[in-house]
Amino acid sequence: MYNQVVMDHFKNPRNVGVIEDADGVGEVGNPLCGDMMSIYIKVADNRLADIKFQTFGCGSAIAVSSMLTEIAKGKSIEEAKQISNKDVANALEGLPKNKMHCSNLGADALHMAIQNYEDRQAGITRQAPVRKEAHEHVEGEKCYCPYCDIELDDAVTFCEACHRELEEEH
Amino acid sequence: MKNYINLDHISANPLPQDVKDVMIEAIENDYHNPSSQHKAGEQAAEQIEIARQRMAELINAANPKEIVFTSGGTESVNHAIKGVAAANREKGNHIVTTNIEHNAVIRSAKRLKAMGFKITSLPVNETGRVNPKDVADAITDETILVSVMHSNNETGIIQPIEEIGRITREKKVLFHSDAVDSVGIVPIDVQALNVDLLSFASNPFYGPAGVGGLYIRRGTRIFPLLEGGVQENNKRAGTENLIGIIGMGKAAELAARDLDVRYAHLNGLKAYFLEQLPNYIDAYLVNTNPEYSLPHLVSISIKYIEGESVMLMLDEEDLAVSTKSACATGSLRASHVLLSLGLSHADAQGTLVIAFGIENTKEDIDRFLGILKNVVDTLRNMSPLYKKAVQTV
């Protein structure tokens, strides 16, 4: 199901753990399947001197976390901000189509950790986002296809991008 | 595969040597088309009737003609639900089922709903069972079919089919039960259960995959799902899967003969597993009903970790289990069965289905538990949920 690169990062994940005195922490959850990822960063000279992750999720989510930390480590803050979900998926040499959404967790968590670092520097306190278990449509909230992750209109029951039928919730 | 331990017998079962033997013999016999009227065809037809007789005995059908061979459980279920709906539309358009059915039932019902039928889907209580009174209350003058599964493929919980059957019989509504994971594993008596239709498949009781059957009580008003020739007493068109049916017949014979021995063995393994489990891991839920459940299936939800990861790591150690994590399903959604039991999305994520088979031993369980402990430790060390839970304590 997974390619060798993904399996390698799943079986031997890099940079697992917690940085107790982290300069920034990012935590994201996937409301659809319940996965969760935390990224801890340590910043020195405007670079990601250290990065660690903790993930509650499938093989793909763990491999994404591991690869993301490998890509981000040593990068400048500005460079790290540019890391996209696609970069992570490409570095893993692809993920199964229905697992592409896992790659979003990684980059989102990293960007949130950087945001958290910058907020701390600027003395801003931001409320941590609440992790949702069941997905309910909230007015104004964006919805994404669970298979290919393209943005969807609220009421659609079919994803035009990947031609899959969707349930009422997505 | 040497040293590979299969604890995923809900997904596939190996064939006993006796079943393999009759199938290989059947291949070598070059049986002809059972519909042909010459000698070679008649020999083939005879083989089918032997298998039908054995199937009828296994589920205590009054007449072997009440058994219709199909391509498996999914076809049987589709046949039962869509066939009854199509044949009884002038009587009514209402079908009663439950929230925990297999997708074969759920999607057949959804299809009928899109065609104008009304579907009532009943919840289960905290023990995972449907309340027969809810079924009685849901039946209206428009109701043409009640469909309740015999046992659940994710939790092993067995439903009160006999009680529901008394209600449907009294109210003169047709009753179908999806018994795919029960037939050949637990005693099934279609006459005692008061069912009109019962779906089953061969592989759960160690017959070949790709063959199954539908019990249709004599006089039940139902249309065929597949139209064409007059095979299967005009109830299921298409040249029969002769090799498969012969294998299924042998498996049915063995299942009937060994039912008690197998049951005791499987139930013993399950009891041993549940007794040993707390010595290896903590913080888990057992999703079962201790009184009414299949002897070979255990569903556990291990907290703070996700099932696909567990399954992949166990696979690396040559252990096969199945998971009901959202991540491992095509739909990426938490299992409707587990959510019906009241599990949270996070707990549902850590669900493993362990299904023992007749070849498993206590030593298999010991090895499995030792490795499971390591896998759980590794994944929990990686899990932000575990860190939070530990901090809270």
Side-chain angles (χ1 to χ4, degrees), chain A residues 78-90:
Chain A
E78 285 315 308
E79 286 168 341
K81 280 184 185 173
Q82 302 304 315
I83 297 173
S84 70
N85 306 321
K86 213 170 171 187
D87 294 336
V88 181
N90 287 345

Side-chain angles (χ1 to χ4, degrees), chain B residues 138-149:
Chain B
I139 293 173
T140 69
D141 293 345
E142 289 287 304
T143 309
I144 50 172
L145 176 70
V146 172
S147 185
V148 179
M149 73 194 327

Side-chain angles (χ1 to χ4, degrees), chain B residues 77-78 100-109 153 178 331 336:
Chain B
V77 166
N78 272 267
I100 53 149
E101 300 294 312
H102 187 274
N103 270 334
V105 172
I106 292 177
R107 296 203 168 157
S108 293
N153 53 307
D178 164 7
S331 67
H336 62 282

Side-chain angles (χ1 to χ4, degrees), chain B residues 120-134:
Chain B
T120 300
S121 189
L122 299 172
V124 292
N125 62 21
E126 64 287 350
T127 68
R129 299 184 98 210
V130 176
N131 186 347
K133 191 178 173 295
D134 290 348

Side-chain angles (χ1 to χ4, degrees), chain A residues 1-2 7 10-11 13 16 18 27 31-38 40 53-60 62 98-99 101 131 133-134 146-147 164 167-169, chain B residues 107 110 303-306 308-313 316 325-334 344-347 349-350 379-385 387-388 391:
Chain A
M1 177 168 80
Y2 293 127
M7 277 311 282
F10 167 65
K11 284 192 283 182
V16 177
V18 176
E27 194 175 85
L32 186 85
C33 57
D35 282 358
M36 196 172 180
M37 191 182 291
S38 304
Y40 301 83
F53 81 85
Q54 283 210 308
T55 292
F56 165 75
C58 63
S60 166
I62 290 171
N98 66 349
K99 295 292 182 124
H101 74 285
R131 187 169 160 268
E133 287 217 321
Y147 303 105
R164 293 185 81 149
E167 302 285 339
E168 293 83 14
E169 304 157 33
Chain B
R107 296 203 168 157
K110 261 192 177 174
K303 284 179 175 270
Y304 320 122
I305 57 177
E306 187 277 331
E308 187 202 276
S309 299
V310 180
M311 186 270 287
L312 289 171
M313 285 193 174
E316 288 293 314
S325 141
C327 298
T329 65
S331 67
L332 298 176
R333 296 155 59 80
S344 70
H345 278 63
D347 286 345
Q349 277 292 68
L379 288 170
R380 280 189 176 162
N381 279 331
M382 226 186 275
S383 167
L385 296 184
K387 183 179 156 239
K388 279 186 186 163
Q391 279 170 352

